[in-house]
């Protein structure tokens, strides 16, 4: 999994192909991500102490990580990600198109 919270990703397949958003949550075990503004559903909530009004709540549902690509901050395109090992042994993610570190 090369996508982290707060990355900007683009949906590359499905109904919302082409939409971009920030990653709100990453579910490592399920291979899913929650992307801001993508795959929103209306959740109907009953009255409770937390929601005294009840009603409808808009909520993003997780989508498969294979349906999104990280958007490169340097070339502003959805990009496949490579990994470069730095001199100190740590890893950096790089855009396969422009080779910039992300
Ligand atoms: Zn790039």
């Amino acid at each position: 999994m090369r996508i982290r919270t707060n990355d900007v990703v683009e949906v590359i397949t499905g109904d919302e192909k082409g939409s971009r958003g920030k990653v709100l949550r990453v579910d490592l075990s399920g291979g899913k991500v929650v992307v801001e503004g993508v795959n929103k559903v209306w959740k109907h909530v009953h009255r409770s102490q937390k929601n005294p009004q009840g009603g409808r709540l808009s909520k993003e549902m997780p989508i498969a990580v294979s349906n999104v690509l990280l958007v490169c901050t340097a070339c502003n395109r959805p990009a496949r990600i490579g990994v470069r090992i730095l001199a100190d042994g740590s890893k950096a993610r790089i855009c396969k198109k422009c080779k910039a570190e992300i």
Side-chain angles (χ1 to χ4, degrees), residues 71-77 79 94-100 102:
V71 174
C72 170
T73 47
C75 62
N76 196 33
R77 288 181 296 184
I94 57 162
C95 167
K96 287 204 171 174
K97 284 177 181 153
C98 71
K99 309 293 179 198
I102 299 176

Side-chain angles (χ1 to χ4, degrees), residues 11-25:
V11 181
I12 51 165
T13 185
D15 290 345
E16 301 195 61
K17 184 175 175 179
S19 51
R20 288 185 183 186
K22 195 172 77 176
V23 175
L24 301 176
R25 275 204 313 280

Side-chain angles (χ1 to χ4, degrees), residues 18-93:
S19 51
R20 288 185 183 186
K22 195 172 77 176
V23 175
L24 301 176
R25 275 204 313 280
V26 176
D27 174 2
L28 289 171
S29 54
K32 297 199 164 198
V33 289
V34 176
V35 183
E36 191 170 40
V38 172
N39 203 23
K40 277 196 151 180
V41 295
W42 286 104
K43 208 176 145 82
H44 297 262
V45 287
H46 289 282
R47 288 175 217 275
S48 65
Q49 292 207 320
K50 209 175 137 199
N51 282 295
Q53 296 288 315
R56 303 195 306 166
L57 204 74
S58 170
K59 187 175 187 293
E60 287 95 348
M61 296 303 284
I63 56 174
V65 73
S66 58
N67 291 349
V68 301
L69 273 183
L70 186 60
V71 174
C72 170
T73 47
C75 62
N76 196 33
R77 288 181 296 184
R80 290 180 53 213
I81 302 304
V83 174
R84 178 188 286 156
I85 313 290
L86 302 179
D88 66 359
S90 64
K91 288 177 187 170
R93 298 183 302 176

